[in-house]
Amino acid sequence: METHKLEDVIAAAPFFRGLDPAFCATIAGCGKHVRFEKGQTVYRQGDPADTFYVVQHGHVALELPGAGRPLVHQTLHDNDILNAAWVVPPYRCHSNARAVDTTVAIAFDAACLRGKCDADHDLGYELMKRFVPIVVERLNRARLQALDVYGPGSAG
Amino acid sequence: MSIAPSRSDPMVPRRFRIVEKIHETADTYTFTLVPVDGETACRFAPGQFNMLYLFGYGEVPISISGDPAAPERLVHTVRAMGSVTHAFATLEAGDMVGVRGPFGSAWPLAAAEGGDVLIVAGGLGLAPLRSAIYRLLAERDRYRRIAILHGARSPETILFAEELRQWRRNLDIACEVTVDYAGTDWHGRVGVITQLVALAGFDPQRVTTFVCGPEIMMRFSVEALKKQGVADERIHVSMERSMKCALGHCGHCQFGPAFLCKDGPVLSYDRIRNLVGIAEL
Ligand SMILES: Cc1cc2nc3c(=O)[nH]c(=O)nc-3n(C[C@H](O)[C@H](O)[C@H](O)COP(=O)(O)OP(=O)(O)OC[C@H]3O[C@@H](n4cnc5c(N)ncnc54)[C@H](O)[C@@H]3O)c2cc1C
Ligand code: FES
């Protein structure tokens, strides 16, 4: 029953838009609903990237712990994907993730999903088609952030 | 023969007195000016700029950031960048400046009527757009959806923070703010401004977009708008180049075939798409 409901939620999520219903059912088997309270840590930098999340509602900050106070470099909101590191070896989380507000999400067991992708390359390809643009988009955003366009010397 | 400056000579600045100075961020100040001749300060269209003359230092082009419905005072927001603007930052209420203008093209607000309006403002780019926002809010019923997106470097550098808060509370418009990075005490969005474009919820066929900020930020924003299906002629950007005469005579502000003081600073993207990104320009 729970799996069936999750299937519908997955099919309706923008990230999975257009995904074959059979694939939605397959990946629902690796998913569950989760909730993080305000201030709760979702994962820490260096943790195994054994879960990725589709944020349904909420606000999560990605933080880089440093020598001084941690720096928030990205926040994630409704329909965003949290922890794309699950697709890239060595499958380690790149930042700390902390719920800024109460956040509800679908959590996917990454090892389970990697196994299903290995077993069915069509499913793997469909998922990669969705993850690669996210990774590229985030790389572009990071590039723009690194350019520090509003910094000293910029008229804007 | 009289050598008194003539009001009709566009090279001669009018004298204005600073009546208010607001410290906006660490390096940015908003000045309210009134003319010493007691006449109307300046009738302008949002997007236009004045040449501000700081006696003994020089003259710089600065956009008008005030309300076009209040022409009795002139409002400019100045970021201390170099010699003239640093000296400007030291001025206080009671000090005098020279003003020539207004010059240049404006945001095409009338042409946007009946459709959606999307404002994309990066950093100090919010200053010339604030005048447009005042006009949009005053004439709210002439437009469909109005969305304001503002990107800043960090929470401390957000310009017009209190007004942005008010616009965010205004249910008649959408307003989102994001910063490139923040400390953990910040509760707003973190990430580049371009990612807000997809969330702004406008009709790409009916939207008019006004984009202002550092040139790289504008280039990325235009890409994000085009990805949403917005045509080049619906995208308007405000370009900056060094200026001297502001009258289309000296050529200092040349940008390809355009003189930005006269043909710009506001230009529709279809006019300049082939020029953007050419380092020599
Ligand atoms: C149409 C227009 C509207 C403008 N509106 C505003 C505004 O509302 N508020 C504001 O603070 N500034 C605005 N500017 C920018 C402002 O005119 C410049 O910052 C100013 O002329 C710099 O003069 P300066 O003597 O202080 O600096 P300079 O000593 O001449 O230069 C200092 C440093 O800043 C760099 N620099 C100078 N001008 C620019 C520029 N336009 N873009 C990027 N780098 C530059 C120089 O290369 C140098 O490295 C506008 C410019 C234009 C063309
Ligand atoms: S500033 Fe002289 S032509 Fe534009």
Coordinates of all heavy atoms in Angstrom, one line a residue, chain A residues 38 59 61-63 69-78 80 98 100-101 133 137 140-156, chain B residues 79 81 121-125 150-153 156 178-195 199 213-214 216-217 220 227 240:
Chain A
K38 N 13.4 21.1 12.0 CA 14.2 22.3 11.8 C 15.5 22.2 12.6 O 15.5 21.8 13.8 CB 13.4 23.5 12.4 CG 14.1 24.8 12.3 CD 13.1 25.9 12.8 CE 13.9 27.2 12.9 NZ 13.0 28.4 13.0
H59 N 13.2 23.2 3.3 CA 14.4 24.1 3.1 C 15.6 23.5 3.7 O 15.6 23.3 5.0 CB 14.0 25.5 3.7 CG 15.0 26.5 3.6 ND1 14.8 27.8 4.0 CD2 16.3 26.5 3.2 CE1 15.9 28.5 3.8 NE2 16.8 27.8 3.4
A61 N 19.9 23.5 3.9 CA 21.1 24.2 3.6 C 22.3 23.2 3.5 O 22.4 22.3 4.3 CB 21.4 25.2 4.8
L62 N 23.0 23.5 2.4 CA 24.3 22.7 2.2 C 25.4 23.6 2.7 O 25.6 24.7 2.2 CB 24.5 22.4 0.7 CG 23.4 21.5 0.0 CD1 23.7 21.2 -1.4 CD2 23.1 20.2 0.8
E63 N 26.2 23.0 3.6 CA 27.2 23.8 4.3 C 28.6 23.2 4.1 O 28.7 22.0 4.1 CB 26.9 23.9 5.8 CG 25.6 24.5 6.1 CD 25.2 24.3 7.6 OE1 25.9 23.6 8.3 OE2 24.1 24.8 7.9
R69 N 33.5 29.6 10.8 CA 32.1 29.2 10.8 C 31.8 28.6 9.4 O 32.3 29.0 8.4 CB 31.2 30.4 11.1 CG 31.3 31.5 10.1 CD 30.4 32.6 10.4 NE 30.3 33.5 9.1 CZ 29.3 34.2 8.8 NH1 28.2 34.3 9.6 NH2 29.3 34.9 7.7
P70 N 30.9 27.6 9.5 CA 30.5 26.9 8.2 C 29.9 27.9 7.3 O 29.2 28.9 7.7 CB 29.6 25.8 8.6 CG 29.3 26.0 10.1 CD 30.2 27.1 10.6
L71 N 30.1 27.7 6.0 CA 29.5 28.6 4.9 C 28.4 27.8 4.2 O 28.6 26.7 3.7 CB 30.7 28.9 4.0 CG 30.6 30.1 3.1 CD1 30.6 31.4 4.0 CD2 31.8 30.2 2.2
V72 N 27.3 28.5 4.1 CA 26.2 27.9 3.3 C 26.4 28.2 1.8 O 26.5 29.4 1.5 CB 24.8 28.4 3.7 CG1 23.7 27.8 2.9 CG2 24.6 28.1 5.2
H73 N 26.6 27.2 0.9 CA 26.8 27.5 -0.5 C 25.6 27.3 -1.3 O 25.6 27.6 -2.5 CB 28.1 26.8 -1.0 CG 27.9 25.3 -1.0 ND1 27.4 24.6 -2.0 CD2 28.1 24.4 0.0 CE1 27.4 23.3 -1.7 NE2 27.8 23.1 -0.5
Q74 N 24.6 26.7 -0.8 CA 23.4 26.3 -1.6 C 22.3 26.0 -0.7 O 22.5 25.3 0.4 CB 23.7 25.1 -2.5 CG 22.6 24.7 -3.4 CD 22.3 25.6 -4.6 OE1 23.2 25.9 -5.4 NE2 21.1 26.2 -4.6
T75 N 21.1 26.4 -1.0 CA 19.9 25.9 -0.3 C 19.1 25.2 -1.2 O 19.0 25.5 -2.4 CB 19.1 27.0 0.4 OG1 18.8 28.0 -0.5 CG2 19.9 27.6 1.6
L76 N 18.3 24.2 -0.7 CA 17.5 23.4 -1.6 C 16.0 23.5 -1.1 O 15.8 23.7 0.2 CB 17.9 21.9 -1.6 CG 19.3 21.7 -2.1 CD1 19.8 20.3 -2.0 CD2 19.4 22.1 -3.6
H77 N 15.1 23.5 -2.0 CA 13.7 23.8 -1.7 C 12.8 22.7 -2.4 O 13.3 21.7 -2.8 CB 13.4 25.2 -2.1 CG 14.3 26.2 -1.5 ND1 14.1 26.9 -0.3 CD2 15.6 26.6 -1.9 CE1 15.1 27.7 0.0 NE2 16.1 27.5 -0.9
D78 N 11.5 23.1 -2.4 CA 10.6 22.1 -3.0 C 11.0 21.6 -4.3 O 11.4 22.4 -5.2 CB 9.2 22.8 -3.1 CG 8.7 23.3 -1.8 OD1 9.4 23.3 -0.8 OD2 7.5 23.8 -1.7
D80 N 13.6 20.0 -5.2 CA 15.0 19.9 -5.5 C 15.5 18.5 -5.1 O 14.9 17.8 -4.3 CB 15.8 20.9 -4.7 CG 15.7 22.3 -5.3 OD1 15.4 22.3 -6.6 OD2 15.9 23.3 -4.7
R98 N 21.7 20.4 6.3 CA 20.9 20.7 7.5 C 19.6 21.2 7.2 O 19.5 22.1 6.3 CB 21.7 21.7 8.4 CG 21.0 22.2 9.6 CD 21.9 23.2 10.3 NE 22.4 24.3 9.4 CZ 21.7 25.4 9.2 NH1 20.5 25.6 9.9 NH2 22.1 26.3 8.4
V100 N 16.8 23.6 7.4 CA 16.6 25.0 8.0 C 15.2 25.1 8.5 O 15.0 25.8 9.5 CB 16.9 26.0 6.8 CG1 16.7 27.5 7.4 CG2 18.3 25.9 6.3
D101 N 14.3 24.5 7.8 CA 12.9 24.4 8.3 C 12.5 23.0 8.2 O 13.2 22.1 7.6 CB 12.0 25.2 7.3 CG 12.1 26.7 7.5 OD1 12.4 27.2 8.6 OD2 12.1 27.4 6.4
P133 N 22.0 16.4 -16.0 CA 21.7 17.8 -16.1 C 21.8 18.5 -14.8 O 22.2 19.7 -14.7 CB 20.3 17.9 -16.7 CG 20.1 16.6 -17.4 CD 20.9 15.6 -16.6
E137 N 24.2 21.5 -14.2 CA 23.6 22.8 -13.8 C 24.3 23.3 -12.5 O 24.6 24.4 -12.4 CB 22.1 22.5 -13.6 CG 21.3 23.7 -13.1 CD 21.3 24.9 -14.1 OE1 21.3 24.6 -15.3 OE2 21.2 26.0 -13.6
N140 N 27.7 24.6 -13.3 CA 27.6 26.0 -13.8 C 27.3 27.0 -12.7 O 27.8 28.1 -12.7 CB 26.4 26.0 -14.9 CG 26.9 25.6 -16.2 OD1 28.1 25.8 -16.5 ND2 26.0 25.0 -17.0
R141 N 26.4 26.7 -11.8 CA 26.1 27.6 -10.7 C 27.4 27.8 -9.9 O 27.6 29.0 -9.5 CB 25.0 27.0 -9.8 CG 23.7 27.0 -10.5 CD 22.7 26.3 -9.6 NE 21.4 26.0 -10.2 CZ 20.5 25.3 -9.7 NH1 20.6 24.8 -8.5 NH2 19.4 25.0 -10.3
A142 N 28.1 26.7 -9.6 CA 29.3 26.9 -8.8 C 30.3 27.8 -9.5 O 31.0 28.6 -8.8 CB 29.9 25.5 -8.5
R143 N 30.3 27.7 -10.8 CA 31.3 28.5 -11.6 C 30.9 30.0 -11.4 O 31.7 30.8 -11.2 CB 31.1 28.1 -13.1 CG 32.3 28.3 -13.9 CD 32.3 27.4 -15.1 NE 31.0 27.4 -15.9 CZ 30.9 27.9 -17.1 NH1 31.9 28.4 -17.7 NH2 29.7 27.9 -17.7
L144 N 29.6 30.2 -11.5 CA 29.1 31.6 -11.4 C 29.4 32.1 -10.0 O 29.8 33.3 -9.8 CB 27.6 31.7 -11.7 CG 27.0 33.0 -11.9 CD1 27.7 33.9 -12.9 CD2 25.5 32.8 -12.4
Q145 N 29.2 31.3 -9.0 CA 29.5 31.7 -7.6 C 31.0 32.0 -7.5 O 31.4 33.0 -6.8 CB 29.1 30.6 -6.6 CG 27.7 30.7 -6.2 CD 27.3 29.4 -5.4 OE1 27.5 28.3 -5.8 NE2 26.6 29.6 -4.3
A146 N 31.8 31.1 -8.1 CA 33.3 31.3 -7.9 C 33.8 32.6 -8.6 O 34.8 33.1 -8.2 CB 34.0 30.1 -8.5
L147 N 33.0 33.0 -9.6 CA 33.4 34.2 -10.3 C 33.2 35.5 -9.4 O 33.7 36.5 -9.7 CB 32.6 34.4 -11.6 CG 33.0 33.5 -12.8 CD1 32.0 33.6 -13.9 CD2 34.4 33.8 -13.3
D148 N 32.4 35.3 -8.4 CA 32.2 36.4 -7.4 C 31.8 37.6 -8.1 O 32.4 38.7 -8.0 CB 33.5 36.6 -6.5 CG 33.2 37.4 -5.3 OD1 32.0 37.6 -5.0 OD2 34.1 37.9 -4.7
V149 N 30.7 37.5 -8.9 CA 30.4 38.6 -9.8 C 30.0 39.9 -9.1 O 30.1 41.0 -9.7 CB 29.2 38.2 -10.8 CG1 29.7 37.2 -11.8 CG2 28.0 37.8 -10.0
Y150 N 29.5 39.8 -7.9 CA 29.2 41.1 -7.2 C 30.3 41.6 -6.3 O 30.1 42.5 -5.5 CB 27.9 40.9 -6.3 CG 26.8 40.2 -7.0 CD1 26.3 38.9 -6.5 CD2 26.2 40.7 -8.1 CE1 25.3 38.3 -7.1 CE2 25.1 40.1 -8.7 CZ 24.7 38.9 -8.2 OH 23.6 38.2 -8.8
G151 N 31.4 40.9 -6.4 CA 32.5 41.3 -5.4 C 33.2 42.6 -5.7 O 32.8 43.3 -6.6
P152 N 34.3 42.9 -5.0 CA 35.0 44.1 -5.2 C 35.5 44.2 -6.7 O 35.9 43.2 -7.2 CB 36.2 44.0 -4.3 CG 35.9 43.0 -3.3 CD 34.9 42.0 -4.0
G153 N 35.3 45.4 -7.3 CA 35.8 45.5 -8.7 C 34.6 45.3 -9.6 O 34.7 45.5 -10.8
S154 N 33.5 44.9 -9.1 CA 32.3 44.8 -10.0 C 31.4 46.0 -9.8 O 31.2 46.4 -8.6 CB 31.5 43.5 -9.6 OG 30.2 43.7 -9.6
A155 N 30.9 46.5 -10.9 CA 30.0 47.7 -10.7 C 28.6 47.2 -10.4 O 27.8 48.1 -10.1 CB 30.0 48.4 -12.0
G156 N 28.3 46.0 -10.4 CA 26.9 45.6 -10.2 C 26.6 45.4 -8.8 O 27.3 45.3 -7.9
Chain B
R79 N 27.9 53.3 -5.3 CA 28.9 52.3 -4.7 C 30.3 52.9 -4.9 O 30.7 53.2 -6.0 CB 28.8 51.0 -5.4 CG 29.7 49.9 -4.8 CD 29.5 48.6 -5.5 NE 30.3 47.6 -4.8 CZ 30.5 46.4 -5.2 NH1 29.9 46.0 -6.3 NH2 31.2 45.5 -4.6
M81 N 33.7 52.8 -5.8 CA 34.5 51.9 -6.7 C 35.9 52.4 -6.9 O 36.8 51.7 -6.9 CB 33.8 51.8 -8.1 CG 32.5 51.1 -8.1 SD 32.8 49.3 -8.1 CE 33.7 49.1 -9.7
A121 N 17.6 41.5 -10.9 CA 18.5 42.5 -10.5 C 19.6 41.9 -9.7 O 19.4 41.2 -8.7 CB 17.8 43.5 -9.6
G122 N 20.9 42.1 -10.2 CA 22.0 41.5 -9.4 C 22.8 42.6 -8.8 O 23.1 43.6 -9.4
G123 N 23.0 42.5 -7.5 CA 23.9 43.5 -6.8 C 23.3 44.9 -6.9 O 22.1 45.1 -6.7
L124 N 24.2 45.8 -7.3 CA 23.8 47.2 -7.4 C 22.8 47.4 -8.6 O 22.2 48.5 -8.7 CB 25.1 48.1 -7.7 CG 24.9 49.6 -7.6 CD1 24.4 50.0 -6.3 CD2 26.3 50.2 -7.9
G125 N 22.6 46.4 -9.4 CA 21.7 46.5 -10.5 C 20.3 46.8 -10.0 O 19.4 47.1 -10.8
H150 N 16.1 39.1 -6.9 CA 17.4 39.9 -6.6 C 18.4 38.9 -6.1 O 18.2 38.1 -5.2 CB 17.0 40.9 -5.5 CG 18.3 41.7 -5.1 ND1 19.1 42.4 -6.0 CD2 18.8 42.0 -3.9 CE1 20.1 43.0 -5.4 NE2 19.9 42.7 -4.1
G151 N 19.6 39.1 -6.6 CA 20.8 38.3 -6.2 C 21.8 39.2 -5.6 O 22.1 40.3 -6.2
A152 N 22.4 38.8 -4.5 CA 23.5 39.6 -3.9 C 24.6 38.6 -3.5 O 24.5 37.4 -3.6 CB 23.0 40.3 -2.7
R153 N 25.7 39.2 -3.2 CA 26.9 38.4 -2.8 C 26.7 37.6 -1.5 O 26.9 36.4 -1.4 CB 28.1 39.3 -2.7 CG 29.4 38.6 -2.6 CD 30.5 39.6 -2.3 NE 31.8 39.1 -2.6 CZ 32.9 39.5 -2.0 NH1 32.8 40.5 -1.1 NH2 34.1 38.9 -2.2
E156 N 24.8 40.5 4.0 CA 25.1 41.9 4.4 C 25.1 42.8 3.2 O 25.1 44.0 3.4 CB 26.5 41.9 5.0 CG 26.8 40.9 6.1 CD 27.1 39.5 5.5 OE1 28.1 39.4 4.7 OE2 26.4 38.6 5.9
T178 N 18.1 35.9 -3.3 CA 19.1 34.9 -3.1 C 20.5 35.5 -2.9 O 20.7 36.6 -3.5 CB 19.1 33.8 -4.2 OG1 19.9 32.7 -3.8 CG2 19.5 34.4 -5.5
V179 N 21.3 34.8 -2.2 CA 22.7 35.3 -2.0 C 23.6 34.2 -2.5 O 23.3 33.0 -2.4 CB 23.0 35.7 -0.6 CG1 22.2 36.9 -0.1 CG2 22.9 34.5 0.4
D180 N 24.9 34.6 -2.9 CA 25.8 33.6 -3.4 C 26.3 32.7 -2.3 O 26.7 31.5 -2.5 CB 27.0 34.2 -4.1 CG 26.6 34.6 -5.6 OD1 25.4 34.3 -6.0 OD2 27.4 35.1 -6.3
Y181 N 26.5 33.2 -1.1 CA 26.9 32.4 0.0 C 26.5 33.1 1.3 O 26.2 34.3 1.3 CB 28.4 32.1 0.1 CG 29.3 33.3 0.1 CD1 29.6 33.9 1.4 CD2 29.8 33.9 -1.0 CE1 30.4 35.0 1.5 CE2 30.6 35.0 -0.9 CZ 30.9 35.6 0.3 OH 31.7 36.7 0.4
A182 N 26.4 32.4 2.4 CA 25.9 33.0 3.7 C 26.4 32.2 4.8 O 26.9 31.0 4.7 CB 24.4 32.9 3.7
G183 N 26.3 32.8 6.0 CA 26.6 32.1 7.2 C 25.4 31.2 7.6 O 24.3 31.3 7.0
T184 N 25.5 30.4 8.6 CA 24.4 29.5 9.0 C 23.2 30.2 9.7 O 22.2 29.6 9.9 CB 24.9 28.4 9.9 OG1 25.6 29.0 11.0 CG2 25.8 27.4 9.2
D185 N 23.4 31.5 10.0 CA 22.3 32.2 10.6 C 21.4 32.8 9.6 O 20.3 33.4 9.9 CB 22.9 33.4 11.5 CG 23.9 34.2 10.7 OD1 24.3 33.8 9.6 OD2 24.3 35.3 11.3
W186 N 21.7 32.7 8.3 CA 20.8 33.2 7.2 C 19.7 32.2 7.0 O 19.9 31.0 6.8 CB 21.7 33.5 6.0 CG 20.9 33.7 4.7 CD1 20.9 32.9 3.6 CD2 20.2 34.9 4.3 NE1 20.2 33.5 2.6 CE2 19.8 34.7 3.0 CE3 19.8 36.1 5.0 CZ2 19.0 35.6 2.3 CZ3 19.1 37.0 4.3 CH2 18.7 36.8 3.0
H187 N 18.4 32.7 6.9 CA 17.3 31.8 6.7 C 16.7 31.9 5.3 O 15.7 31.2 5.0 CB 16.2 32.1 7.8 CG 16.5 31.3 9.0 ND1 17.5 31.7 9.9 CD2 15.9 30.3 9.6 CE1 17.6 30.8 10.9 NE2 16.6 30.0 10.8
G188 N 17.3 32.7 4.5 CA 16.8 32.8 3.1 C 17.5 31.8 2.1 O 18.2 30.9 2.6
R189 N 17.3 32.1 0.9 CA 17.9 31.3 -0.2 C 19.4 31.5 -0.4 O 19.8 32.7 -0.3 CB 17.2 31.6 -1.5 CG 15.8 31.0 -1.7 CD 15.3 31.3 -3.0 NE 14.0 30.6 -3.2 CZ 13.9 29.4 -3.7 NH1 14.9 28.7 -4.2 NH2 12.7 28.8 -3.8
V190 N 20.1 30.5 -0.7 CA 21.5 30.6 -1.1 C 21.6 29.9 -2.5 O 21.2 28.8 -2.6 CB 22.5 30.0 -0.1 CG1 23.9 30.1 -0.6 CG2 22.3 30.6 1.3
G191 N 22.3 30.6 -3.4 CA 22.5 30.1 -4.7 C 22.4 31.2 -5.7 O 22.0 32.3 -5.4
V192 N 22.8 31.0 -6.9 CA 22.9 32.1 -7.9 C 21.6 32.5 -8.4 O 20.6 31.7 -8.4 CB 23.8 31.7 -9.1 CG1 25.3 31.5 -8.6 CG2 23.4 30.4 -9.8
I193 N 21.5 33.7 -8.8 CA 20.2 34.3 -9.2 C 19.5 33.6 -10.4 O 18.3 33.5 -10.4 CB 20.4 35.8 -9.5 CG1 19.0 36.5 -9.7 CG2 21.2 36.1 -10.7 CD1 19.0 38.0 -9.7
T194 N 20.3 33.0 -11.3 CA 19.8 32.4 -12.5 C 18.8 31.2 -12.1 O 17.9 31.0 -12.8 CB 20.9 31.8 -13.3 OG1 21.8 31.1 -12.5 CG2 21.7 33.0 -14.0
Q195 N 19.0 30.6 -11.0 CA 18.2 29.5 -10.6 C 16.8 29.9 -10.2 O 15.9 29.1 -10.2 CB 18.8 28.5 -9.6 CG 18.9 29.1 -8.2 CD 19.9 28.3 -7.4 OE1 21.1 28.4 -7.6 NE2 19.4 27.5 -6.5
L199 N 11.7 29.5 -11.5 CA 10.7 29.5 -10.4 C 9.8 30.7 -10.5 O 8.8 30.7 -9.7 CB 11.3 29.4 -9.0 CG 12.4 28.3 -8.8 CD1 13.0 28.5 -7.5 CD2 11.7 26.9 -8.9
G213 N 22.7 44.3 -13.8 CA 23.7 43.8 -12.8 C 25.1 43.7 -13.5 O 25.2 44.2 -14.6
P214 N 26.0 43.1 -12.9 CA 27.3 42.9 -13.5 C 27.1 42.2 -14.8 O 26.2 41.3 -15.0 CB 28.1 42.1 -12.5 CG 27.4 42.2 -11.2 CD 26.0 42.5 -11.5
I216 N 28.6 39.7 -16.4 CA 28.6 38.3 -16.4 C 27.2 37.7 -15.9 O 26.7 36.8 -16.4 CB 29.7 37.7 -15.6 CG1 31.0 38.3 -16.0 CG2 29.8 36.2 -15.7 CD1 32.2 37.9 -15.1
M217 N 26.8 38.4 -14.8 CA 25.5 38.0 -14.3 C 24.4 38.1 -15.3 O 23.5 37.3 -15.4 CB 25.2 38.8 -13.0 CG 23.8 38.7 -12.4 SD 23.0 40.2 -13.0 CE 21.3 39.7 -12.8
F220 N 24.5 35.3 -17.9 CA 24.0 34.0 -17.4 C 22.5 34.1 -17.2 O 21.7 33.2 -17.5 CB 24.6 33.7 -16.1 CG 25.9 33.0 -16.2 CD1 27.1 33.7 -16.3 CD2 26.0 31.6 -16.1 CE1 28.3 33.0 -16.4 CE2 27.2 30.9 -16.2 CZ 28.4 31.6 -16.3
K227 N 16.4 29.8 -21.9 CA 16.0 28.4 -21.6 C 14.6 28.3 -21.3 O 13.9 27.2 -21.5 CB 16.9 28.0 -20.5 CG 17.2 26.5 -20.4 CD 18.3 26.2 -19.5 CE 18.1 24.8 -18.8 NZ 19.0 24.6 -17.7
E240 N 26.7 49.1 -19.2 CA 27.5 50.2 -18.7 C 28.9 50.2 -19.4 O 29.5 49.2 -19.7 CB 27.8 50.0 -17.2 CG 26.7 50.2 -16.3 CD 27.1 50.2 -14.9 OE1 28.3 50.2 -14.5 OE2 26.1 50.2 -14.0

